[in-house]
Amino acid sequence: MAKKRIAILTGGGDAPGLNAVIHAFVRACLNTMDYELIGYKFGYRGLYNNDYMKLDRQTTSGILHKGGTILFNSNKDNLFNFTVEENGVNVKKDVSDVAVENMKKEGVEVLVVLGGDGTLTSARDFARKGVKVIGVPKTIDNDLASTEVTFGFDTAVNIVTENLGRLHTTAESHHRIMIVEAMGRSAGWIALHAGIAGSADVILIPEIEYSIDNIVKKVDERKARGKEFTIIVVTEGAVEKGGSASIGKIVEDSADSIRFGGVAAKIAHQLENHPGVTNEVRYCTLGHIQRGGDTSPADRLLSSRYGVKAAELIKEENFGNMVSLQDGKMNYVSLEDVVGGAKITGETAKGGDKVVDPNGELVQTAKKLGISFGDE
Ligand code: F6P
């Protein structure tokens, strides 16, 4: 008789650490249980198309350090609201039953889903349909309230920090104001962490509205101390007082269709045209560089712990949960609470999102270091 199977998929945008989770999960399963493992390709789309590959020690060898995912990603395919063609017309349909049938046909007893809020919402919905599901929290933005840290975040912070260091030398040579746009959507975690670690002079995050005049105040203050250059890191979703976030593009069919972009260019233009600014201004958007390349050692470690914990939950038959880091230890939380607004960490949570607390310790630490948030 064919062996029982566990399937794994990677949904949403990629994040460094996906491969490390797959690597750890496969080994922990093979070492502790009697299952065969498969991976659906391109997230939920592979589940719908029954497009998968076998996962074993060989097919997952040498991937621990590599960013990206051997299973490929898709950020569009919500099977509960999926675009299908009917009589030459595109219509939205709930095709989740097709996915459940595919799993049955292939002998898949457990589905493990690596993803952010959109992907985990579908994971919850499959759990509600009776599928045995385990979630693993992924996103470089670190904006999930139901775990202390998502994997991918540390790598992104390292990349932004390194680039802030590189920009210091060229900014200093030219006496320029340099602006770096970081990812993070409406959460300022990447900019905040990298801004402190990379010694930025100004950190602009969506949780604290800024004004151009306040940024200029910081530039002047530095000049008065003989510092003729200024480094600014801004989250893509940051908002000027009385303004709105800069939208880069709309991705139809994506769980959250807005893609931010352009805020660094906007601020550069405003500063260059400000009567009080004499410096030249340049900006740089790090974009997907923050998600590419090798995974940081801290993310490899965190992902390995998440992967092993996911296998443990399966062994304990503890389904319908997402593995989660709580008080520094591996734990789990119900998928019902992941997207429903669970609040485990100390910062404020809106819905299932974890955002920076303007009065929290990190912001106050940065302010005491003399870093400006453009709010005063
Ligand atoms: O949520 C992760 C993230 O990398 C955000 O920081 C960013 O805004 C978005 O995804 C980019 O999405 P895409 O890969 O679709 O351009």
Side-chain angles (χ1 to χ4, degrees):
M1 207 179 79
K3 256 192 190 173
K4 295 179 295 181
R5 282 171 158 178
I6 299 172
I8 184 166
L9 64 82
T10 54
D14 71 332
L18 286 167
N19 279 330
V21 175
I22 296 169
H23 179 268
F25 178 74
V26 166
R27 275 152 190 76
C29 286
L30 295 177
N31 288 336
T32 60
M33 290 178 280
D34 193 25
Y35 277 103
E36 201 172 79
L37 297 155
I38 63 167
Y40 286 112
K41 296 182 189 172
F42 295 102
Y44 289 114
R45 196 195 318 162
L47 183 51
Y48 178 71
N49 292 329
N50 208 22
D51 180 15
Y52 64 85
M53 64 185 271
K54 291 221 169 125
L55 296 175
D56 53 29
R57 280 191 184 80
Q58 217 125 37
T59 54
T60 61
S61 171
I63 65 168
L64 168 61
H65 65 289
K66 285 186 187 161
T69 159
I70 56 166
L71 295 177
F72 312 106
N73 280 98
S74 160
N75 61 2
K76 292 186 181 169
D77 302 294
N78 175 3
L79 300 186
F80 293 86
N81 190 27
F82 194 62
T83 308
V84 285
E85 203 192 295
E86 272 182 2
N87 307 321
V89 186
N90 279 347
V91 289
K92 293 278 193 188
K93 272 184 94 169
D94 178 349
V95 295
S96 56
D97 283 341
V98 177
V100 173
E101 276 313 305
N102 282 343
M103 282 190 272
K104 271 193 196 141
K105 204 163 62 195
E106 298 299 332
V108 173
E109 297 211 336
V110 183
L111 179 66
V112 178
V113 170
L114 280 51
D117 41 10
T119 307
L120 292 168
T121 303
S122 289
R124 179 203 62 192
D125 294 342
F126 274 113
R128 284 181 180 173
K129 282 177 87 82
V131 177
K132 294 174 178 170
V133 186
I134 300 290
V136 186
K138 162 240 73 161
T139 167
I140 65 163
D141 304 339
N142 196 31
D143 60 352
L144 277 182
S146 40
T147 189
E148 277 167 12
V149 195
T150 52
F151 68 83
F153 173 64
D154 180 75
T155 307
V157 169
N158 281 331
I159 293 167
V160 179
T161 304
E162 193 212 320
N163 283 289
L164 285 172
R166 288 179 184 276
L167 288 168
H168 264 85
T169 57
T170 169
E172 191 164 9
S173 304
H174 285 269
H175 287 185
R176 280 177 174 159
I177 298 171
M178 284 281 185
I179 310 167
V180 180
E181 184 170 313
M183 281 184 165
R185 298 191 64 82
S186 297
W189 296 109
I190 297 175
L192 179 59
H193 281 235
I196 296 173
S199 195
D201 307 300
V202 180
I203 300 174
L204 305 176
I205 56 175
E207 297 86 345
I208 302 177
E209 292 188 344
Y210 64 87
S211 81
I212 294 296
D213 283 344
N214 285 333
I215 299 173
V216 175
K217 209 163 114 189
K218 184 70 194 173
V219 172
D220 289 344
E221 184 196 306
R222 285 178 56 74
K223 277 192 183 157
R225 281 190 282 112
K227 293 283 185 189
E228 298 288 344
F229 69 97
T230 295
I231 304 286
I232 302 172
V233 58
V234 56
T235 303
E236 58 186 4
V239 181
E240 189 179 356
K241 262 182 208 136
S244 51
S246 304
I247 311 275
K249 68 188 290 184
I250 301 292
V251 181
E252 299 295 345
D253 281 348
S254 180
D256 201 340
S257 59
I258 291 175
R259 294 293 178 275
F260 295 102
V263 67
K266 184 181 125 186
I267 297 172
H269 181 76
Q270 288 170 305
L271 286 175
E272 273 199 324
N273 289 297
H274 191 285
V277 175
T278 51
N279 308 69
E280 275 194 78
V281 187
R282 295 286 189 273
Y283 71 91
C284 125
T285 304
L286 293 178
H288 295 80
I289 288 170
Q290 291 159 94
R291 294 197 337 215
D294 282 352
T295 304
S296 73
D299 270 336
R300 292 181 212 178
L301 177 64
L302 180 64
S303 302
S304 299
R305 293 171 73 196
Y306 277 142
V308 168
K309 184 69 185 175
E312 280 172 14
L313 290 184
I314 294 173
K315 185 138 201 223
E316 293 161 10
E317 305 204 356
N318 200 350
F319 301 112
N321 294 306
M322 183 194 83
V323 296
S324 134
L325 188 71
Q326 296 171 28
D327 296 325
K329 294 198 178 69
M330 273 301 134
N331 210 324
Y332 62 90
V333 55
S334 165
L335 279 168
E336 287 293 336
D337 292 333
V338 168
V339 278
K343 181 171 178 281
I344 293 174
T345 53
E347 301 280 348
T348 45
K350 274 198 236 146
D353 295 341
K354 178 175 63 187
V355 294
V356 174
D357 180 357
N359 301 310
E361 190 233 301
L362 271 188
V363 171
Q364 296 314 315
T365 297
K367 285 194 169 177
K368 283 178 189 141
L369 290 169
I371 297 171
S372 166
F373 284 80
D375 58 332
E376 49 193 6

